[in-house]
């Protein structure tokens, strides 16, 4: 496993990290989730990402128990705040940030997180209020650094322009061969300002693993067949895209990688990426995905892959 510096922080994070969206405490049984977590540590993953809203706190509670016996300085822990926890608790107001960090720390059974992230931008709260509250969380020792997820470039710049507040060290965008929007504005802006990317859905909800084959029903046990985990994958299961993914397999073979490893290595080709977050329901998936770290792939193979996917996505 290779490691990269997270933005301007002093955190060194594994190139592959373990997430818990739709999985731990939600769609994956506790025993399987714990095996995945243990395997992640075995292969050198040191970065664990979660959020208060995942399973309405269930993912954080699972991690609080599963990590209890590990030295706190042996892993980097990140969580997030914004989405509704119930009818009365949501957003990035000062009151919510201060309440939700305490609730998250209680569930995680720790006195601090290494990274506290604004899960989305809050149009209902002044940015200055949000940034000063996040800064106070750091000043209180409850988080070491702050980040954001899916903020537009103008809001990122506005936060960077503020004085007397903590500076973001991370951005968490959706980014993959099938979703390249951050390349336009977010990645260049962040790269110029000491902010690294922590990528979510780097395998396109599993489509880039090749498990979903054209003309066939989704395999049993896959995310697409699990009603607790398939809310976001439907739009990805288009026949032209699945055909395009099939065409990537010879390229992955030429690189000496599995298709998942090839797709993750494509993510890690970008220097501004600190880590790609994987979601795994089986230890074998963790082991395979971790194999992408440090992979050296000829640029022309990536260029061919980009062209194949672009063509597949253009067909409606």
């Amino acid at each position: 496993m290779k490691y990269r510096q997270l933005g301007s922080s002093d955190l060194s994070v594994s190139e592959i990290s373990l997430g818990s969206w739709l999985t731990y405490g939600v769609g994956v049984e506790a025993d399987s989730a714990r095996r995945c977590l243990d395997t992640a540590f075995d292969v050198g993953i040191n970065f664990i990402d979660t959020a208060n809203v995942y399973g309405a706190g269930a993912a954080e509670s699972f991690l609080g128990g599963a990590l209890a016996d590990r030295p706190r300085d042996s892993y980097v822990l990140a969580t997030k705040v914004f989405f509704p926890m119930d009818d009365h608790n949501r957003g990035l107001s000062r009151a919510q940030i201060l309440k939700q960090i305490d609730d998250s720390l209680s569930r995680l059974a720790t006195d601090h997180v290494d990274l506290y992230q604004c899960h989305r931008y809050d149009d209902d709260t002044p940015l200055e209020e949000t940034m000063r509250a996040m800064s106070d969380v750091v000043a209180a020792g409850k988080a070491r650094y702050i980040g954001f997820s899916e903020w537009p470039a103008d809001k990122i710049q506005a936060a960077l322009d503020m004085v007397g507040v903590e500076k973001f060290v991370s951005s968490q965008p959706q980014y993959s061969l099938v979703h390249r929007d951050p390349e336009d504005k977010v990645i260049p802006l962040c790269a110029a300002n000491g902010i690294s990317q922590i990528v979510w859905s780097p395998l396109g909800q599993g489509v880039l693993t090749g498990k979903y084959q054209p003309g066939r029903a989704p395999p049993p046990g896959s995310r697409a067949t699990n009603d607790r985990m398939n809310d976001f994958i439907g739009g990805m299961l288009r026949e032209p895209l699945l055909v395009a993914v099939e065409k990537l397999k010879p390229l992955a073979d030429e690189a000496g990688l599995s298709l998942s490893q090839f797709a993750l290595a494509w993510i890690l080709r970008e220097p501004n990426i600190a880590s790609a977050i994987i979601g795994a329901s089986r230890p074998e998936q963790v082991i395979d995905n971790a194999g992408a770290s440090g992979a050296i792939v000829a640029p022309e193979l990536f260029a061919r892959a980009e062209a194949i996917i672009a063509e597949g996505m253009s067909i409606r």
Side-chain angles (χ1 to χ4, degrees), residues 148-153 156 171-192 195-202 266-267 269-270 272-273:
F148 59 84
S149 177
E150 299 289 357
W151 277 28
I156 300 170
S171 162
Q172 189 170 134
Q174 180 179 185
Y175 184 53
S176 70
L177 269 166
V178 297
H179 187 93
R180 301 179 61 179
D181 293 358
E183 292 177 349
D184 184 26
K185 295 179 180 179
V186 171
I187 288 178
L189 176 60
C190 289
I195 300 172
S196 290
Q197 309 301 313
I198 307 164
V199 175
W200 65 272
S201 197
W266 181 87
I267 292 286
R269 87 204 186 289
E270 164 58 56
N272 187 237
I273 305 295

Side-chain angles (χ1 to χ4, degrees), residues 6-25:
L6 183 64
S8 59
S9 78
D10 65 358
L11 299 174
S12 178
V13 298
S14 49
E15 289 186 337
I16 303 299
S17 44
L18 187 65
S20 55
W21 177 50
L22 302 177
T23 51
Y24 308 141

Side-chain angles (χ1 to χ4, degrees), residues 294-307:
I296 298 175
V297 178
E300 58 265 27
L301 291 181
F302 283 152
R304 287 161 59 189
E306 291 169 6

